[in-house]
Structures are given as C-alpha cells and as structure tokens.
Amino acid sequence: MLCLASCLGALGLNLFVVAPRYLRAVVHLEASQIGLVMGAHSLCALLMMTQVPRLADALGRRRLMELGMSACAVACASFALPTTLAPLVLLRGLMGAGWACVLIGSVTYTTEFAPPGRLAQALGVAGVLTLLAMAIGPLVGEFMLARV
C-alpha cells in the first residue's frame, strides 16, 4: 500500500510536466510567469523538507503521508480553475509542500517497517515505483492536455 501511495502521489505531480504548455496556451502567461509557477513547486518542497521530520514525529508517518497526499490531490484538482498568476503559484507551492510530506514520509515509513535484512529491497521497490510514475506522468499529462 505504501508503494502504491507513493507511486500515485508521484504520478499526480508528474502530470504537471506539461503544465507550461497549458499555462501559455490557455492561461496566456508569459515565460517568466510560467517559470514562477513551475518553480514554486520545487521551492516549497525544499522549504517543507526541513520541517517534515518534526511533523512526522508529531503526527506519525502515515498521517503525514495522508496530509501530503490530500494537499497534492486538492492542488492538482484545482489547478485548472484559476486564470491569474497568484493562485497558480500558490497551488504549485501546495503541490510541492504536499510532495515533500509524501516523499519523506514514505521513505521513513519504509525504513521503519521493512522486514529485517530487506531494507534495500524495500527502498528499491519504492524508488522504482516513483520513477515509474515519473515516466508515465508526462504521457498521461500529454493525453489529458490534448483531450480535456
């Protein structure tokens, strides 16, 4: 379940690799504005990663991942609604903060619950599924951009 949650969390976010084309063609943002929207994800993820360990200790790994997945889901589902820069930046920032919770939460959760002697295998499987989502996400995003 942990691997599936991590994979789906990564898939949702990797749909947004094609977001610059959407932001240019539909929202009519300029290149610098698109860069700001897209960069908000990484900036917020990096900032949040410094806080995730404390949150994980306070809330527990599972709850942290649930909150992160929820934040990602709300931000992803809402991304097509705004037509101005500020809400788009905020939504991408929320995606980044949520992703930090999912990523760090899943790794720490995996290390805690992996069977003795199988930690490397557990982390490898989780990592491969995240990479699979990175490979599939842009394909699904292209499909959605062309048809939705």
Side-chain angles (χ1 to χ4, degrees):
M1 290 303 291
L2 176 61
C3 289
L4 180 61
S6 296
C7 185
L8 290 176
L11 177 63
L13 296 174
N14 281 289
L15 296 173
F16 286 87
V17 170
V18 299
R21 290 197 357 231
Y22 165 79
L23 294 170
R24 186 178 312 109
V26 177
V27 185
H28 307 292
L29 295 183
E30 297 174 12
S32 63
Q33 294 171 314
I34 293 169
L36 185 61
V37 171
M38 298 306 289
H41 176 276
S42 297
L43 179 61
C44 288
L46 284 171
L47 293 173
M48 188 65 180
M49 283 181 189
T50 64
Q51 302 305 312
V52 169
R54 282 187 277 273
L55 287 172
D57 289 340
L59 301 173
R61 277 58 168 153
R62 180 181 177 146
R63 184 74 181 130
L64 180 70
M65 286 189 63
E66 290 170 348
L67 290 173
M69 293 286 282
S70 297
C72 290
V74 167
C76 288
S78 303
F79 195 76
L81 300 175
T83 57
T84 58
L85 181 63
L88 291 165
V89 170
L90 290 173
L91 287 171
R92 282 293 288 169
L94 182 59
M95 287 179 206
W99 174 241
C101 293
V102 172
L103 181 64
I104 303 288
S106 67
V107 170
T108 57
Y109 205 27
T110 300
T111 60
E112 289 177 5
F113 293 103
R118 296 185 57 199
L119 177 59
Q121 180 185 13
L123 288 171
V125 168
V128 165
L129 289 173
T130 301
L131 292 172
L132 177 65
M134 288 178 172
I136 294 173
L139 295 172
V140 174
E142 286 283 349
F143 177 82
M144 291 174 65
L145 190 61
R147 289 168 181 74
V148 178

